[in-house]
Amino acid sequence: MAYIAVDLGGTRIRAARCDAAGRVQARTEQPTRPEEGVEAVIARIVGAIRAVWPAEEPVEAIGVGAPGPLDPRTGVVLTAPNLGWENVPLAERLQERFGVPCFVGNDANLAALGEWQYGAGRGHEHLVYLTISTGIGGGVITHGVLLEGAHGLGAELGHIVVEAREGPRCGCGQRGCLEALASGTAIARMAREALARGEPVPWSDRDPESITAADVAGAAARGDPVATAIMERAAFYLGVGIATFWHIFNPTLVILGGGVMKAGDWFLERIREHARERAMTPAYVTPIVRTALGEDVGLLGALAYARWRLASILPSSR
């Protein structure tokens, strides 16, 4: 039996045909192009699914990881600023088109599920996953169950407030969220601010809007002091956030994914140090590791979610 997994992002749509063991049998990718509208994006999702649909083998279910907030019970994307979506019934549309169950969940939550089922989280009944990329998302597994909350909106870990009074404005509208201080977007913003202050930065000849977190991380790895200070600030707030998650969820493992974690081992070690310094007691301190699934974490998370939701509907046959 095959499953179809879809990773829907603001810039690309990825789809794969997988088996229950997490083996990818076929895959495809195409640009999202949200500026062309909801119907055009849904048509691309449909096209991506068709491209990996098996010729003869039956498909058990479709799992989709999508940006939120969304309602996982109905599969409605409530609002997705990067896509320009409002109240889009994505699961219903895909289920009508393909005639098999379709389950849509928050992409970061699903990534946590994927790591738990197929990646670094195997063997752990309690874990926290953070994706540190353009924004910061998260997912929590507790007692072997994905934490979704009363309305499916739980585990928005990037929006805990870590700098309430003087923190920068977050995309969510609040001040001082972890996302506003440690995401790839935040790192690039801090680089532009350093440039505007006239600090001796290695990107002084660049268009400020072209500076990326990867540029800053690369400069820090080469020893640039301004870039190092920016990355150190991001590591500090990530450590603060992780210590908070230790205290709230008491996980046995914290997994970090996303493009910012490509910054290097030194960055990961600084996050660990800042987290350890803020743990209430050593009993809370647990390993902090990188994702084992890399860029496939979204696809395998969607697969794990489809299997999990399908089992809840048909427990006698799964």
Side-chain angles (χ1 to χ4, degrees):
M1 292 289 185
Y3 295 83
I4 303 297
V6 179
D7 183 7
L8 172 61
T11 59
R12 62 180 182 172
I13 299 163
R14 303 176 71 216
R17 181 173 76 250
C18 309
D19 65 15
R23 291 183 288 262
V24 176
Q25 300 166 332
R27 66 173 72 222
T28 189
E29 179 180 318
Q30 57 182 284
T32 309
R33 295 181 184 145
E35 69 278 3
E36 295 183 7
V38 173
E39 293 303 321
V41 173
I42 291 177
R44 288 193 182 89
I45 296 170
V46 169
I49 292 172
R50 283 177 173 160
V52 297
W53 196 273
E56 298 179 0
E57 186 180 11
V59 170
E60 289 278 86
I62 299 169
V64 181
L70 56 81
D71 185 340
R73 298 166 303 181
T74 62
V76 174
V77 178
L78 302 175
T79 177
N82 289 342
L83 296 176
W85 285 15
E86 295 283 341
N87 297 313
V88 176
L90 183 58
E92 179 183 314
R93 295 286 300 275
L94 296 179
Q95 191 161 313
E96 288 175 349
R97 184 64 64 96
F98 292 100
V100 300
C102 179
F103 307 104
V104 177
N106 175 274
D107 49 8
N109 286 358
L110 270 55
L113 199 61
E115 284 289 344
W116 178 60
Q117 286 281 301
Y118 302 111
R122 285 176 292 182
H124 292 264
E125 293 295 287
H126 302 266
L127 68 84
V128 169
Y129 173 86
L130 276 183
T131 178
I132 307 155
S133 188
T134 304
I136 294 180
V140 177
I141 303 292
T142 184
H143 294 286
V145 176
L146 178 66
L147 189 157
E148 291 187 297
H151 305 291
L153 304 176
E156 281 289 351
L157 304 185
H159 295 286
I160 65 164
V161 176
V162 292
E163 191 67 74
R165 290 184 178 273
E166 304 297 332
R169 185 74 68 183
C170 181
C172 74
Q174 301 301 316
R175 284 195 176 276
C177 293
L178 182 61
E179 180 174 299
L181 288 155
S183 65
T185 300
I187 290 167
R189 186 200 69 243
M190 287 188 278
R192 291 193 298 271
E193 291 169 350
L195 179 60
R197 289 192 298 268
E199 295 184 26
V201 295
W203 47 82
S204 58
D205 60 343
R206 295 270 301 276
D207 173 5
E209 295 304 316
S210 72
I211 300 170
T212 67
D215 294 328
V216 182
R222 294 189 295 272
D224 179 78
V226 177
T228 299
I230 291 171
M231 296 302 294
E232 170 65 23
R233 187 175 187 224
F236 168 80
Y237 284 110
L238 287 167
V240 170
I242 289 168
T244 301
F245 305 143
W246 278 341
H247 296 148
I248 296 172
F249 301 113
N250 192 204
T252 56
L253 184 70
V254 176
I255 304 172
L256 305 182
V260 173
M261 291 313 302
K262 296 177 182 177
D265 291 342
W266 70 272
F267 184 62
L268 176 59
E269 187 52 40
R270 292 301 291 148
I271 294 169
R272 289 169 172 158
E273 290 172 5
H274 286 301
R276 286 195 296 264
E277 288 169 1
R278 282 152 189 83
M280 186 163 55
T281 73
Y284 281 101
V285 177
T286 57
I288 303 170
V289 302
R290 286 191 182 88
T291 170
L293 300 180
E295 290 205 344
D296 278 347
V297 67
L299 289 172
L300 293 179
L303 165 64
Y305 191 65
R307 292 182 61 215
W308 181 53
R309 289 288 303 277
L310 191 63
S312 70
I313 295 172
L314 303 171
S316 63
S317 61
R318 298 294 178 272

